Amino acid sequence: MIKYTHAPDIQKLAEEIVEKLEWNHILLEHVAFIRSFGSSARRTIARCHALGKAMQIGMGRKKGFYLIEVISEKFDKLPQDEQLRVTIHELMHIPKSFGGGFIHHNKVHDKSVEQVYNHYCNLKKDTALYESRNVSSDKENKWF
Ligand SMILES: [Zn+2]
């Protein structure tokens, strides 16, 4: 039996990624994040699901809907940087059109994920530097 729970921690991570990378095509209000337990998939760490076009039209939706599932037994064992890579990988499957299709593994692969991962880490580092600089200038203002 597979069990599913919502994964607000993954959602938060994804929000940070989408914001930093300015991936404005990813409409996070139309993306769900789920953690599954007891999946029999042996080699899968995470999956990106889409609501197909026919279902979208049948449901009277104007936008796509995506779901990112992490498989707890695999994903939760990974170190943080790997979890970040996996989350970036899954988000990269979502196309610009947000229409229900996927970007496939010819474009979403280790090399392209690594590029995005490095870019993201650099953006984060810049923010951290900027924030620490602000803190020290605050101190200066107080002391002198
Ligand atoms: Zn993939």
Side-chain angles (χ1 to χ4, degrees):
M1 257 294 264
I2 304 183
K3 278 191 180 168
Y4 298 101
T5 61
H6 284 280
D9 54 327
I10 313 300
Q11 175 155 11
K12 216 173 150 233
L13 181 61
E15 280 168 8
E16 232 185 307
I17 294 166
V18 165
E19 190 195 329
K20 276 265 176 302
L21 295 172
E22 295 178 33
W23 280 351
N24 300 323
H25 63 285
I26 297 183
L27 310 173
L28 281 170
E29 66 271 35
H30 301 289
V31 185
F33 297 86
I34 292 278
R35 181 175 262 105
S36 68
F37 302 83
S39 166
S40 59
R42 282 176 178 263
R43 293 180 53 202
T44 311
I45 301 167
R47 272 190 281 248
C48 182
H49 306 257
L51 185 67
K53 196 96 195 169
M55 287 287 282
Q56 268 178 54
I57 290 172
M59 290 168 76
R61 287 183 62 88
K62 289 199 176 88
K63 293 278 177 203
F65 189 89
Y66 288 87
L67 186 149
I68 289 173
E69 172 195 358
V70 300
I71 289 149
S72 174
E73 291 86 347
K74 303 279 170 60
F75 184 87
D76 291 329
K77 273 190 202 149
L78 295 176
Q80 240 178 2
D81 63 315
E82 277 301 310
Q83 292 188 354
L84 177 55
R85 283 189 184 89
V86 170
T87 307
I88 287 172
H89 175 122
E90 297 312 321
L91 289 170
M92 283 172 72
H93 278 304
I94 301 175
K96 283 255 151 53
S97 64
F98 205 82
F102 290 105
I103 309 272
H104 295 284
H105 283 132
N106 60 333
K107 291 205 175 142
V108 183
H109 47 63
D110 287 352
K111 207 178 151 194
S112 59
V113 170
E114 200 59 24
Q115 276 173 355
V116 174
Y117 171 82
N118 286 329
H119 181 50
Y120 175 73
C121 288
N122 282 332
L123 289 172
K124 275 206 77 155
K125 227 189 305 170
D126 287 350
T127 316
L129 271 176
Y130 178 74
E131 278 165 3
S132 70
R133 235 181 268 139
N134 274 359
V135 168
S136 60
S137 72
D138 275 356
K139 275 185 198 157
E140 276 169 24
N141 287 338
K142 249 178 242 165
W143 292 348
F144 297 105

